[in-house]
Amino acid sequence: MDSDSWLPIVSILSLMLVACYFATAETALASANRIRIKSLADDGNRRAQKTVALLDDFDRALTTLLVGTNIVHIACASLTTLFVKRLWGAGAVAVSTVVLAIVVFFAAEMLPKSFARAYPEEAALALAPSLRTLMTLLSPITVLFSGISKFVTRLFGVPDAPTVTEDELYDIIESIGEEGGIEEEASRLIHSALEFDDITVQQVLTPRNRMVTVALDDSCEEILSVIRGNRHMRLPVYDKTPDNIVGILGIRRYLKAYLAQGENVSLAELMDPPYFLPRKRRIDDALSEMSGRKQHIAVVRDDFGGVLGIVTVEDILEELVGEIWDEHDEVVENFREVEDGVFHVVCSADFEQMRRHFHLGADCDCAKVSGWVMEQLGRIPHEGDRFLYDHLLVTVLKADSRRALEIEVRKIDSLEDLDEELSSSAS
């Protein structure tokens, strides 16, 4: 083969390498972990800083790559056609086109893109400097095509979309957790943080019927009796009716005054003014307000001004970090196995905790198990109510006038088990 024949072959091979470069760069930029690269850039890595600049101007970088890819592919096809036609005639052109398409697909598309998907950050960092230079050289063409692209986008009214939605972020965190990238507790904490601004104070409050209060006209002995019977550090004070909360009594302040003054201590002079929150206030806003006002407890009102219950800073923080225990708390076992496959569940437990415990596939918007029970029944639960959910037979064991307090959860493995359980209950 003479020197004139080698020149087209070297040119075609060179164009194939350039095509590999464009394919690798395109996939690497699209697949690279932006957060990881930005972290490297913040640490002073210059290649990472150039890569971040490319990701910030990704549309222009992509246009440059597509223009370059098309130029290279057209040039490669043209040279191959001329070379084959000169050697073997026009009849071999069709065969050479098929062969070239296969070679380009494997050697200049599939293999480099597979490599770039496997090592996206490394490839992006390696190719960023040369790609920035290429973007400068091809800027007249890329500006033209970018302008056409933006015009078409505006013409069809394509809305701007965030890079990652909240639902996608949930999926990313779950995937990282399943792959062992983060511990289960860290994953749970991140999920709690994401859900934090979706929860209202009504979902975390202590309801009115469980509030420990004192009346404004209670005697000193009655107040001391309430204090001795409970471990709360602050108590709401009402006048005539619990719907009229007029103050918050700090227990330490009251006891200190009682030791100094005896039964002459004045409740009205010692209590702090109450802080009120509407039931729909989100807990992230409530926490910010209560922290700013140095309030440890707030009274939650309904839409008509009545009292729904109280919420504390601890109640809100527990939605983020889980149960907060101190030396006075009694340990409550939310999921207690009473026999094989049968559990007693405390309805104040988080539904997400129950979903994980029983491996439930369906999701629920309820924060607590009590809300989930009411949602399934479609009314206020009563003792003895039953329903089927997924692979579970749920029975209400305890309930008050507003919600379920404790349920029995029995795992059902087959229809025969269900029939047997229902028959034994009926008899």
Side-chain angles (χ1 to χ4, degrees):
M1 188 177 291
D2 57 23
S3 59
D4 291 340
S5 300
W6 280 107
L7 183 60
I9 294 176
V10 171
S11 299
I12 292 171
L13 292 176
S14 299
L15 289 171
M16 293 283 287
L17 290 175
V18 176
C20 289
Y21 168 88
F22 286 128
T24 303
E26 178 185 347
T27 303
L29 288 178
S31 306
N33 187 317
R34 183 186 182 90
I35 297 174
R36 194 175 303 162
I37 292 177
K38 192 173 187 306
S39 178
L40 292 173
D42 293 338
D43 291 337
N45 187 311
R46 291 190 175 182
R47 286 181 178 270
Q49 292 170 354
K50 292 179 180 180
T51 306
V52 170
L54 288 177
L55 293 174
D56 290 338
D57 196 11
F58 183 73
D59 287 344
R60 186 171 164 226
L62 182 60
T63 302
T64 300
L65 291 169
L66 292 176
V67 169
T69 299
N70 281 282
I71 290 174
V72 169
H73 285 181
I74 292 171
C76 189
S78 300
L79 277 176
T80 302
T81 300
L82 291 173
F83 180 65
V84 169
K85 187 175 181 181
R86 192 180 70 178
L87 285 181
W88 298 297
V93 171
V95 176
S96 69
T97 302
V98 174
V99 172
L100 179 65
I102 295 173
V103 171
V104 168
F105 173 74
F106 281 101
E109 288 289 330
M110 191 182 77
L111 293 179
K113 287 186 176 181
S114 297
F115 171 81
R117 277 194 296 271
Y119 306 98
E121 287 79 29
E122 293 82 351
L125 292 173
L127 300 178
S130 57
L131 182 56
R132 282 177 59 84
T133 302
L134 190 61
M135 287 172 63
T136 302
L137 294 175
L138 295 179
S139 58
I141 301 175
T142 57
V143 168
L144 173 63
F145 283 106
S146 295
I148 295 173
S149 175
K150 291 178 181 178
F151 172 76
V152 173
T153 300
R154 286 196 300 267
L155 189 65
F156 288 96
V158 179
D160 292 332
T163 304
V164 179
T165 65
E166 186 171 318
D167 289 338
E168 290 170 341
L169 186 54
Y170 277 111
D171 293 336
I172 292 171
I173 295 168
E174 287 186 1
S175 298
I176 295 174
E178 291 171 358
E179 294 169 0
I182 57 176
E183 296 181 357
E184 181 180 350
E185 183 61 23
S187 176
R188 187 201 64 77
L189 185 59
I190 296 172
H191 273 88
S192 298
L194 291 173
E195 296 167 354
F196 195 62
D197 63 348
D198 294 329
I199 302 172
T200 63
V201 292
Q202 183 177 3
Q203 295 173 274
V204 302
L205 58 77
T206 299
R208 173 176 161 171
N209 62 342
R210 290 171 53 197
M211 287 169 45
V212 179
T213 60
V214 294
L216 187 60
D217 55 359
D218 278 351
S219 66
C220 183
E221 184 57 38
E222 289 173 324
I223 295 173
L224 290 175
S225 177
V226 173
I227 293 173
R228 282 193 293 265
N230 299 274
R231 296 189 176 94
H232 302 299
M233 299 304 298
R234 295 171 182 82
L235 296 175
V237 181
Y238 68 88
D239 185 15
K240 296 183 176 56
T241 169
D243 273 324
N244 185 26
I245 302 295
V246 294
I248 301 295
L249 176 63
I251 301 305
R252 290 179 181 175
R253 184 189 300 176
Y254 185 84
L255 293 176
K256 186 177 180 180
Y258 173 76
L259 293 175
Q261 304 174 29
E263 294 192 359
N264 295 323
V265 62
S266 172
L267 175 60
E269 293 177 0
L270 294 173
M271 66 185 187
D272 296 316
Y275 180 65
F276 295 96
L277 287 173
R279 67 179 181 87
K280 293 183 179 180
R281 184 64 50 84
R282 299 190 183 278
I283 59 174
D284 58 335
D285 295 330
L287 180 61
S288 177
E289 292 177 22
M290 293 173 71
S291 299
R293 296 173 179 266
K294 295 181 172 57
Q295 298 286 340
H296 297 278
I297 184 172
V299 181
V300 182
R301 282 176 165 166
D302 60 22
D303 297 334
F304 304 98
V307 173
L308 277 178
I310 56 172
V311 65
T312 66
V313 170
E314 182 177 315
D315 294 330
I316 296 174
L317 290 177
E318 284 180 344
E319 290 299 314
L320 182 62
V321 300
E323 196 74 23
I324 300 174
W325 298 96
D326 59 38
E327 65 274 16
H328 302 300
D329 287 333
E330 296 180 6
V331 178
V332 177
E333 192 175 358
N334 290 330
F335 303 90
R336 181 166 51 91
E337 189 169 16
V338 295
E339 59 181 272
D340 187 28
V342 181
F343 295 81
H344 285 184
V345 179
V346 177
C347 292
S348 58
D350 292 340
F351 178 75
E352 178 62 23
Q353 186 182 4
M354 178 173 174
R355 189 182 70 82
R356 292 197 300 268
H357 189 277
F358 292 105
H359 306 289
L360 303 180
D363 198 3
C364 175
D365 293 332
C366 301
K368 302 294 183 182
V369 174
S370 56
W372 169 72
V373 173
M374 185 178 297
E375 181 179 279
Q376 296 306 309
L377 292 172
R379 55 176 172 79
I380 295 175
H382 303 291
E383 293 182 7
D385 283 341
R386 281 185 163 188
F387 60 88
L388 279 171
Y389 186 88
D390 208 348
H391 57 285
L392 305 176
L393 176 62
V394 180
T395 305
V396 178
L397 298 179
K398 297 179 183 178
D400 60 18
S401 60
R402 297 185 60 184
R403 59 175 56 80
L405 301 177
E406 186 176 356
I407 58 174
E408 178 188 89
V409 177
R410 183 180 297 270
K411 294 182 178 180
I412 302 297
D413 297 323
S414 64
L415 290 176
E416 290 77 10
D417 291 343
L418 177 61
D419 291 337
E420 181 179 344
E421 174 60 28
L422 294 177
S423 299
S424 61
S425 300
S427 60

